[in-house]
Amino acid sequence: VNNIRNSLIESISHSISILFEITSDVNQIINTNVIHSKEKSTDIDDSCDLYPITGNILHCCKEITNFVSIYKLMTDIALEIEVNISTQAKLLSDFIFTLLNNLYNCLQMKAELFDRGLPKLTTNRLLDVKSHALYDHNNKDSDNIILYARKYLFLSNNLFSLLTYLRDKQRELQLNIDSNNKSNNTSSNNRKITSSLGSNVLTSLPYFKQIVALADAIEETLDKSQRDFSDIILLVLGLDAHSLSDFNTQHSKDKSGKYRVLKSKFVMFNSGIESLQSKQGEWRIPSSQLREKITQLLVDKIVSTYAEFYNIYSVIKFSKKHLSMYLKHSPADVDRLLKSFFGKTPSY
């Protein structure tokens, strides 16, 4: 009996030690690979994609989940037979939540690094009416502004994946809780079986509430990231409220130069389109669901605003020789570009 007891103690202690070391090391892996990773400047746009460590951590959590009940039984047995286990050997469900929460925080910190070294973001794009040959004027403002959209695309890609996992986990836990409640109402025997399997860990109400709260927080951040991404693109195109207000003010006041104001505004939009097109193929959204959502958000915010502006001012002959150079993109062209931006190259 003593030999069996000693073997059991050794086996349990070793198993708990290994599981604890694995789960403890993952947090350090998240911190090292997410926050302190260094991409080359040429790869920074590619890193807006789904980050590999995100998928790896989610896979790790799925694998650890398979051992939650067994680990709980092992620690219970270890305590009963007075095995000296670490006080840090918490429930694996606690580790899972810690990993997910730490990943969420690290992704947000990583996102801030995308803006490092960029010039200060302006609240609106200023019209340049003094340049000669406006139709051929190369305005680089849009190239700088569009870089601010990278962090929001990065957050959208990674938080969507994280949120999908959490919502699936939430539904799974809810089903377990409902099933456990029904089982407990049938017979006391069922309650004993349920308890012996350790499923109370999986159906723990505090753990369920933790998962729901974290998912809700991530969903809020995800929604904001998508809105912020589309707002940056609006600014790049000069279609944000501040830029349009600045145009309306100058166009109404400067009667003698109103045509140059119009030319400058269309040049601003055209340069923004060129900056956006330069990111096509580099910026990707792996999830078709997220891709459709962000695409629709861009279409809803941009096309109607541009169409209204275009329909009013494109009929004015504000240039005798180069009108077509200013009116490069019709609203229909812009609609096709946005709808195909994260997919195939537009044909127009």
Side-chain angles (χ1 to χ4, degrees):
V1 173
N2 286 334
N3 288 337
I4 294 175
R5 181 180 184 278
N6 291 334
S7 297
L8 184 60
I9 290 174
E10 182 179 354
S11 176
I12 291 176
S13 297
H14 182 63
S15 299
I16 290 177
S17 176
I18 292 176
L19 286 170
F20 176 68
E21 288 177 6
I22 292 174
T23 51
S24 297
D25 289 345
V26 173
N27 273 316
Q28 183 60 40
I29 292 173
I30 294 174
N31 185 66
T32 301
N33 286 275
V34 176
I35 300 178
H36 299 296
S37 62
K38 296 181 178 178
E39 289 82 17
K40 297 178 182 178
S41 58
T42 54
D43 299 332
I44 192 70
D45 285 309
D46 290 335
S47 63
C48 298
D49 207 337
L50 183 63
Y51 217 53
I53 195 67
T54 300
N56 292 338
I57 293 301
L58 295 181
H59 178 72
C60 174
C61 289
K62 291 177 183 178
E63 293 297 315
I64 293 176
T65 299
N66 297 327
F67 298 96
V68 169
S69 297
I70 297 174
Y71 185 85
K72 175 65 166 57
L73 281 174
M74 288 172 60
T75 54
D76 288 346
I77 293 173
L79 292 173
E80 287 181 8
I81 62 178
E82 299 179 351
V83 175
N84 185 23
I85 60 175
S86 171
T87 57
Q88 294 177 306
K90 303 176 182 178
L91 296 177
L92 283 186
S93 56
D94 293 336
F95 278 113
I96 292 173
F97 175 78
T98 300
L99 293 179
L100 295 172
N101 190 57
N102 192 24
L103 176 60
Y104 171 46
N105 292 329
C106 286
L107 288 173
Q108 292 182 91
M109 288 186 278
K110 172 70 175 179
E112 295 304 316
L113 300 181
F114 281 88
D115 294 347
R116 187 171 48 190
L118 295 180
K120 185 178 180 180
L121 180 64
T122 58
T123 56
N124 65 307
R125 292 191 64 187
L126 299 176
L127 293 168
D128 183 2
V129 298
K130 296 181 180 180
S131 297
H132 181 68
L134 280 170
Y135 66 90
D136 198 33
H137 180 54
N138 189 10
N139 191 324
K140 292 294 184 181
D141 287 351
S142 56
D143 288 341
N144 292 326
I145 295 172
I146 201 169
L147 298 180
Y148 280 93
R150 297 179 302 186
K151 68 178 179 184
Y152 300 122
L153 182 58
F154 169 82
L155 282 174
S156 295
N157 274 322
N158 288 274
L159 294 186
F160 181 83
S161 182
L162 181 53
L163 179 64
T164 299
Y165 172 84
L166 284 169
R167 290 305 187 198
D168 288 343
K169 175 60 64 178
Q170 178 183 339
R171 286 189 287 270
E172 177 188 337
L173 291 172
Q174 185 65 65
L175 288 173
N176 287 338
I177 291 173
D178 293 343
S179 176
N180 193 46
N181 288 338
K182 291 180 181 179
S183 178
N184 287 338
N185 290 331
T186 57
S187 69
S188 59
N189 289 334
N190 283 344
R191 285 196 298 272
K192 291 179 181 179
I193 293 174
T194 301
S195 178
S196 66
L197 290 175
S199 62
N200 60 314
V201 177
L202 293 173
T203 59
S204 167
L205 191 56
Y207 177 54
F208 175 75
K209 289 182 177 180
Q210 280 184 319
I211 292 296
V212 172
L214 179 58
D216 288 346
I218 291 174
E219 185 167 25
E220 183 177 344
T221 305
L222 173 61
D223 289 343
K224 184 178 184 302
S225 297
Q226 294 172 69
R227 293 193 304 271
D228 288 342
F229 177 79
S230 61
D231 286 343
I232 291 292
I233 303 304
L234 269 180
L235 179 59
V236 168
L237 300 174
L239 296 177
D240 60 289
H242 291 295
S243 296
L244 288 174
S245 176
D246 178 59
F247 162 77
N248 290 329
T249 299
Q250 291 197 47
H251 187 260
S252 61
K253 286 184 177 181
D254 191 355
K255 299 298 182 180
S256 60
K258 62 180 181 179
Y259 283 176
R260 290 193 64 80
V261 174
L262 261 179
K263 291 176 183 179
S264 179
K265 189 59 180 177
F266 275 105
V267 166
M268 178 185 292
F269 179 82
N270 293 338
S271 68
I273 286 291
E274 291 169 5
S275 296
L276 183 61
Q277 287 176 314
S278 71
K279 299 303 179 185
Q280 190 169 32
E282 296 180 5
W283 287 359
R284 295 178 293 273
I285 302 179
S287 166
S288 59
Q289 183 181 347
L290 179 63
R291 186 164 59 246
E292 291 173 5
K293 185 175 181 181
I294 291 183
T295 296
Q296 191 59 52
L297 188 60
L298 289 173
V299 170
D300 291 343
K301 283 196 171 188
I302 292 171
V303 175
S304 60
T305 303
Y306 179 61
E308 181 180 0
F309 178 85
Y310 185 92
N311 292 336
I312 294 174
Y313 297 107
S314 63
V315 296
I316 300 174
K317 304 300 181 182
F318 55 85
S319 176
K320 294 180 180 180
K321 298 181 179 179
H322 306 291
L323 188 62
S324 62
M325 298 295 291
Y326 295 105
L327 305 179
K328 289 182 178 180
H329 310 284
S330 70
D333 293 336
V334 176
D335 183 75
R336 284 195 294 270
L337 168 62
L338 295 175
K339 288 180 177 177
S340 62
F341 181 76
F342 293 109
K344 63 181 181 180
T345 303
S347 57
Y348 83 92

